[in-house]
Amino acid sequence: MLATKKVPFNKAQMEQIIEKYPTPFHIYDEVAIRENARRLLAAFSWAPGFKEYFAVKATPNPAILRMLKEEGFGADCSSMTELLLAEHCGIAGEKIMFSSNNTPAEEYEKALALGAIINLDDFTHIDFLEKQATIPELICFRYNPGPLKKGNDIIGKPEEAKYGFTREQLFEGYRIMRDKGVKRFGLHAMVASNELHANYFVETTKLLFELVVEISKALEISFEFVNIGGGIGIPYKPEQKAVDFSQISKGIKKAYEQMIVKNGCDGLKLYMECGRVITGPYGYLVSRVLHKKTIYKNYVGLDACMANLMRPGIYGAYHHLTVLGKETAPLDHLYDVTGSLCENNDKFAIDRLLPLIEPGDLVVIHDAGAHGHAMGFNYNGKLRSAELLLKGDGSVELIRRAETVADYFATLDIPDGICLPSKL
Ligand SMILES: *Cc1c(COP(=O)(O)O)cnc(C)c1O
């Protein structure tokens, strides 16, 4: 028996939703996202001032951000539009972590104006920040441990990664800031992405705790927080197991007591900036089968494509597929499941065993709730799909309409307009 994954709707319900909102679209499960947010906060309830700053880039939709704000999350932003989105949702001040890199001056200005926590990615940005604006009273630096830490496949090795300060630069950076009169300090690292081992996060946190103790002593400063970044993975494959938040929490708590409390640094707050693990498993890309073809392989063509979800195309990432109404049918047909881009990597699945599929079937692509719609693009003139929110009572709210042909042409100067087919 092959492992399976569940969906929070059945075929009849989905056909009803589709009557109003044509495929393809992304749909997010509100109840599941809220429950998950609460699980995370509960797991870390021991940690002083624990905060999760939701990485906006994962699912930059105001309905999602407001929901997570209600659950007590802040926002982790790294661009002007993400800052504007957070501001629009009423997230401001130190509820915003600005973890950017290669940052334009105006973005620092905006982040400072909002009172966000500035997480500097590079040593030279200290001068840059001072020239552009003022030095804020609270400053955070991003640490890149280089060869001291192994990375993983998606983010790569830390020593090959463009982010952060070296260890030596951190000491120098905090000294400069101290001498400029800064009193409040934070330390950040994000060295893994889609990591499924709880212990990896415990080890990263230990690295940061060690540094906090060392730097505090060397420079006679005290740290207000460590931000252990995002990167908690999700079980894209049905046989994989979700990371247990309480397991990460347990390991960190032990390290906190042994390294932080023992060294007189207690009160140090613990922050996180996860995106994927918060919304990823609770978003689905729903699409309909347009065609089947058989040449050297068997193909199933969907009305969604890589422009709706590009993870399989760019990373060869696995996304589980469910054919609605055929959940219990035998998986005895081998297919490549494709979109319609003129790119041969526009495939949601390669050599996947699925039930017999017919045109008109509904295919649900799992784990599209983070870095899914957000990574969408317009190549080949494809339009970004709608985003829907599935509520607890089974009703559906449109939280982003689908792009139209008019949106696609909106940035062009075409005085007479484009003659649109009436249906679009
Ligand atoms: C992408 C990113 C995150 C979120 O990563 P997830 O894998 O979605 O948890 C957090 N912080 C920074 C700086 C990032 O670039």
Side-chain angles (χ1 to χ4, degrees), residues 240-269:
Q240 289 174 324
K241 263 187 74 181
V243 180
D244 180 356
F245 294 145
S246 58
Q247 209 182 331
I248 301 179
S249 165
K250 223 168 88 187
I252 292 180
K253 184 166 191 274
K254 199 167 148 206
Y256 191 92
E257 281 154 7
Q258 288 174 352
M259 301 167 77
I260 295 300
V261 178
K262 280 227 176 93
N263 282 291
C265 298
D266 34 335
L268 181 77
K269 294 176 191 164

Side-chain angles (χ1 to χ4, degrees), residues 52-58 76-78 98-101 119 142 154-155 163 188-190 192-195 201 227 229-233 272-279 370-371:
E52 150 72 10
Y53 292 85
F54 177 66
V56 174
K57 74 167 192 259
D76 172 50
C77 302
S78 59
F98 187 55
S99 290
S100 59
N101 70 89
N119 184 12
R142 178 170 184 166
I154 290 192
I155 208 161
Y163 309 110
H188 165 270
M190 159 117 187
S193 183
N194 195 29
E195 176 59 54
F201 299 95
N227 176 350
I232 300 181
M272 253 184 203
E273 48 184 32
C274 287
R276 186 190 316 271
V277 77
I278 306 299
T279 51
H371 312 293

Side-chain angles (χ1 to χ4, degrees), residues 272-415:
M272 253 184 203
E273 48 184 32
C274 287
R276 186 190 316 271
V277 77
I278 306 299
T279 51
Y282 315 112
Y284 307 83
L285 173 56
V286 179
S287 71
R288 200 179 287 279
V289 176
L290 293 179
H291 298 286
K292 270 170 78 173
K293 71 179 280 184
T294 299
I295 43 172
Y296 309 102
K297 296 182 89 171
N298 294 316
Y299 293 95
V300 167
L302 305 184
D303 63 0
C305 70
M306 187 183 168
N308 303 110
L309 176 70
M310 74 165 168
R311 298 189 70 260
I314 59 168
Y315 315 122
Y318 180 96
H319 279 261
H320 197 68
L321 306 181
T322 292
V323 186
L324 288 183
K326 298 186 176 177
E327 287 87 344
T328 55
L331 306 177
D332 54 1
H333 287 69
L334 195 65
Y335 294 115
D336 277 17
V337 180
T338 79
S340 53
L341 285 193
C342 302
E343 291 290 338
N344 197 40
N345 59 348
D346 181 21
K347 292 184 178 180
F348 291 110
I350 296 173
D351 295 331
R352 182 77 57 89
L353 276 169
L354 292 165
L356 174 68
I357 293 181
E358 297 297 348
D361 278 349
L362 289 173
V363 174
V364 176
I365 302 165
H366 290 253
D367 301 304
H371 312 293
H373 187 282
M375 280 190 180
F377 55 96
N378 283 129
Y379 184 53
N380 250 182
K382 293 296 173 186
L383 304 175
R384 287 188 190 83
S385 66
E387 292 180 291
L388 308 179
L389 189 64
L390 177 66
K391 320 273 263 189
D393 63 2
S395 66
V396 162
E397 185 190 337
L398 180 69
I399 58 172
R400 185 196 300 269
R401 69 162 171 82
E403 276 181 352
T404 63
V405 172
D407 293 326
Y408 182 82
F409 290 121
T411 50
L412 299 173
D413 183 17
I414 301 177

